[in-house]
Structure formats: C-alpha cells, structure tokens
Amino acid sequence: MALQAALPPLGSRGTPTHCSLLLLLLSLGWVLPSRVRAADSRPGVMTPWLQGTTRDQSWQRPELTVLLPRDRRDTEKKACPPERRARVVDENLVFYEPWELEACVDGALLAAQMDRVNTVPFTYQQLGVFKRKLDELYPQGYPESLVRHLGYFFLELTPEDIHKWNAMSLETVKSLLEVSKGHKMDAQVAALIARYLVGRGQLDKATLDTLAAFHPTYLCFLSPEQLESVHPSVVWAARPPDLDACRPAQMDVLYPKARLAFQNMSGSEYLEKMKPYLGGAPTEDLRALSRQNISMDLATFRTLRPEAVVPLTVAEVRNLLGPNLVGLKTAREGSPVRDWISRQRQEDLDSLGLGLRGGIPNGYLVVDLSFREALSGGARLLRPGPVLTAVPTLLWALVPN
C-alpha cells in the first residue's frame, strides 16, 4: 500500500500519530466513522470531529465502497514471508498489502480475536479479505461463538451469510441490531430475525421496539403473538411487498392495527394505506367499504380472504369494485373470485352482464351439511361447501299419494 512508505510506524494507542492515522483514513473514506470511534481510546480527542462527520449521511455506505483498484491476481498464490506472519490482530496489519493479509493472516486468528478486529481502522478492502478468510474457515456458516463477537464486522455480511448461521441467543441478536442502526441493513436485519426465529427463539418487547428503527421487511417472520407487540409505527412503514409472505393468522393481527392507525383517513387515501392489510379484513368491514364506493382494484380484491368475500352479495361486490368490476371476468378461475361465484345465484351474476358462469342455478337451494356434521361429531365424509338440491324434486316428494 502507498501508506506504508508515506507514514511512520504507529505509536501506542492514543498518541498523536495514532489519531492522525485515524483522521487520514476516515478522510479518504476507507473506514467507517463507527470503526474510528471504536478504535479511538482517548475521550475528547476526536469526538467533536466525529460527531460532525456522522451527521453527514454521505459518509455512509455504499457511496464509500470505491477503494484503490488492485488486480485480484496480486492477492493469490503468494507465500507469506516468515517475518510477516501475523501472531496477533493489531494496528500493524493496517499496513499489510492485501496479498499479505491473504497469505499471512489465519482465519482462526481472526475468529479468536474478532474483538480486536473491531478496534482497528481497517479499510473496506482489508475487511473484505478478512471476510473471505472467515468464509473459508466456516463454509457452512459462522458458529455462535464467533457471531456473538462480530460487532461492526456484521456490516460486512450479506443476508445469504446470515441464513447459514445456527441458533443464537437473544443477547446476540440485540447486539447486532444495535450495530446495524443507521447503516441501511434492513435486509440483513430481516435475515437475522428469520434465522433467530427458526431456532424457536422468542423476541421480547425491548427487541421489538428496537426493530421499529428498521424497515419492516421482517414482519412476516414474526408469530401472531409477537405481532401483537409490534410498535404502531411499523404499520405506517410497511409496503405491500413486506406483507406478501404473511399468513392469514398474521394478517388477522396486523389488519386491526392498521385500521386503528389509519382511522382518521377516508376515501381513496384510507384505501391506499389499508391495501397491504386488507387480506385480514372480515366480511363486515368489506361491506362497510362497499358502501363508500371506493373502487377497489382487482389486484387488491384478489388478496382478500375467500371466507370474507363469499358472503358478499352481487350488489356489494359491484359497489366495492366500481369501474373495476369488469376484471372479474378474467379473474374468475382464481380465488377468491371462483369461490364467490360458486355461492351466488346465477340470475344475480347474469345481471352484471359479464358472462360469469358457475353460480347456483335458478330453482335450487343451498343446504349446508357442516351443522349436521358438527352435531354428530363424526368424520367429514363430504367436502365442506354447499349441496344443491332441486326444489321441484323436494316438492314432489311432499305431495301425498
């Protein structure tokens, strides 16, 4: 590196030379302000300047990821000079060329001294070398013994790295969440929460409150019980893609939260905010929306629960969709449109003028057998749903001979 000839050897931590190096590296954009803060042990020396820089969002990644270009071939297949073999992680490694770090620093040493890695202002390029060394050491994922000491090195990891991890403690999760604040780590945080919950871990209220600082890409990983404790601000921040993977039981919890959060809105503004959550809306609320003539788009209609849509009348669906009603014809084979059509009278469907078929023929009754089965307590021999019975046949059976 060019710095090797330009700078004198580092003195002890806290010396003017040490501070000058930190300031130079930070000014060049080679280290994060958070790493310089961790590396500086003298209170009051750099704190005022750091406070000014950390308020400037331009210091954050990914804008500062451009480093000195170097051919990767320089870092491969070179033997380590014996005198350069690293025995400890310290400031001297800052002056190692990338090929020297590849050849002279052992992955096991990095894993054992991860706390030291976080106190030295390494460049992004050097941290990238360290990550490759650790990935080679643990190809199946980092163990808990390393994860709990990652600290700011967590910022170098990807969601794919995190998904490889095994079970970890709640304290480890909390420490990594604190490190992630302000660093655009929403995807990594979602992976962290998903990985933790796979191991049947439980999130406490303090952790859920901390999660409110991140975009809620993690929502669908939480259980319905955990969603009950989600901070109200999360409802405002969620976007439709964040809720795509949520199950009905989760939407049952999120929908009333959203309804409460947006209760002061009305009309199209209310519908726009509620769209991601309408998958949890009950029939009564859909009927109320139909009376407001909100003109729901078909894409939103198709996210509704079939059991909430089926009881709606033809008139209610017409009012709910407004000019978008014509879309029912193209969506008739999918749920919940298919389910709804099968429970409507064909003559009512015909009144829409859309050519919808598959409704209840004229002159038929719908007999629900689920009540009789519930009383008998026996196994279901028939699929849940209506049984169609011809009225003329019934009447003929009642006529006395």
Side-chain angles (χ1 to χ4, degrees), residues 313-344:
T313 66
V314 169
E316 288 168 340
V317 169
R318 180 194 290 114
N319 292 337
L320 191 64
L321 294 176
N324 301 315
L325 182 68
V326 67
L328 289 178
K329 187 172 183 179
T330 58
R332 63 185 181 275
E333 299 300 329
S335 182
V337 178
R338 180 188 63 244
D339 310 88
W340 176 75
I341 289 176
S342 68
R343 296 297 294 270
Q344 307 306 310

Side-chain angles (χ1 to χ4, degrees), residues 105-150:
V105 179
D106 186 64
L109 175 66
L110 294 171
Q113 299 189 17
M114 182 53 64
D115 291 334
R116 288 174 175 263
V117 172
N118 284 303
T119 62
V120 178
F122 291 113
T123 68
Y124 295 144
Q125 189 176 25
Q126 291 171 326
L127 292 172
V129 174
F130 292 163
K131 182 180 182 301
R132 287 196 297 273
K133 304 291 287 186
L134 290 172
D135 291 347
E136 292 170 1
L137 181 64
Y138 301 112
Q140 303 303 317
Y142 298 172
E144 164 73 4
S145 58
L146 172 59
V147 173
R148 74 167 66 103
H149 294 290
L150 283 178

Side-chain angles (χ1 to χ4, degrees), residues 196-215:
Y196 174 70
L197 294 177
V198 163
R200 300 186 181 278
Q202 294 295 318
L203 299 174
D204 58 17
K205 186 178 184 305
T207 307
L208 291 171
D209 288 343
T210 301
L211 283 172
F214 302 93
H215 190 83

